[in-house]
């Protein structure tokens, strides 16, 4: 009887193995650039808010009958979540891993990807807008602007996951909808006077579950070939990048070709974040970076322990 009751109460999910990719800028606790910056007091509080957002979605997914939930923390060091506050059944990938989805690790048998806490792309005018790093001022493929959702979704197509749900500022949600029409979006408007994190979070979790209750979209990885142009914030950044990786450069713009969108992600995940030297010692580099991330989240935990009055 109990089992029967559970069955009729659970909305039926059309996707049962889910990955949540989370960033912090579009979470319920990140009102400014400072609050996204490593070892900043505002960042510690933003980590707490992001953790609560993720925890609410994870709980709602399991309550709705999800079989597996993987969470990939994708902000800065990749350590922004207080993992002990998230349902133990979820697999949380902190830091960056090598694998079939660079940065995220080896991922397979995932049906759907949800993106939460996201931001809009460089030059869009959205909240803390940037594309991968603040050094890029515009990224385009075949003349069309590219946002992170497209890059991540294309890379994640190797795990079998369909991009289904996206949350971020209204500008970011608009971009997401233009890029992938079938995606469900749930915007955050922190600056409105009536914003209440707790009720927004409940709505986020409900919307995430609802997005999985119908089959939508397909794997996303448009085929090229694409001529990619990446205009950097200044000519110096472009010159440095071009010298490190021997890339074609036209003033402040790096130009290259890619076979598909996931190929763009693969290249940029190397060129923008590491140097040729670090690439040679990548496991060591990733390990040292993870130590920095672990130290950061420990610092945030200690900071918040003494910050209780300002919850
Ligand atoms: Zn971020």
């Amino acid at each position: 009887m109990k089992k029967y009751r559970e069955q009729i109460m659970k909305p039926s999910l059309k996707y049962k193995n889910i990955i949540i990719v989370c960033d912090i800028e579009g979470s319920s606790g990140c009102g400014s650039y400072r609050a996204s910056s490593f070892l900043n007091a505002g960042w510690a509080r933003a980590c707490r808010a992001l953790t609560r957002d993720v925890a609410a979605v994870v709980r709602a997914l399991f309550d709705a009958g999800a079989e597996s939930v993987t969470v990939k923390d994708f902000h800065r060091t990749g350590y922004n979540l207080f993992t002990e506050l998230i349902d133990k059944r979820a697999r949380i990938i902190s830091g960056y891993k090598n694998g079939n989805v660079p940065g995220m690790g080896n991922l397979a048998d995932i049906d759907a990807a949800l993106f939460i806490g996201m931001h809009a792309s460089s030059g869009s005018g959205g909240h803390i807008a940037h594309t991968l790093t603040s050094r890029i001022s515009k990224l385009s493929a075949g003349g069309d602007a590219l946002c992170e959702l497209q890059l991540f979704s294309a890379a994640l197509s190797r795990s079998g996951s369909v991009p289904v749900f996206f949350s971020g500022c209204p500008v970011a949600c608009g971009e997401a909808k233009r890029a992938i029409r079938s995606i469900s979006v749930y915007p955050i408007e922190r600056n409105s006077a009536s914003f209440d994190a707790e009720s927004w979070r409940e709505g986020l979790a409900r919307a995430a579950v609802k997005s999985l209750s119908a089959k939508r979209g397909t794997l996303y990885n448009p085929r090229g070939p694409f001529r990619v142009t990446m205009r950097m914030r200044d000519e110096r950044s472009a010159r440095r990048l071009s010298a490190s990786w021997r890339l074609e450069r036209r003033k402040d713009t790096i130009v290259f070709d890619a076979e598909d969108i996931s190929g763009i992600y693969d290249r940029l995940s190397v060129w923008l974040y590491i140097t040729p030297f670090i690439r040679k010692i990548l496991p060591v580099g990733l390990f040292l970076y993870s130590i920095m991330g672990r130290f950061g989240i420990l610092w945030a935990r200690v900071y918040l322990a003494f910050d209780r009055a300002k919850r």
Side-chain angles (χ1 to χ4, degrees), residues 22-26 36 74-76 80 117 119 130 132 148:
C22 68
D23 206 340
I24 210 167
E25 290 85 349
S36 72
F74 218 89
H75 177 70
R76 295 282 167 97
N80 305 272
H119 51 81
H130 63 281
L132 300 173
E148 285 185 14

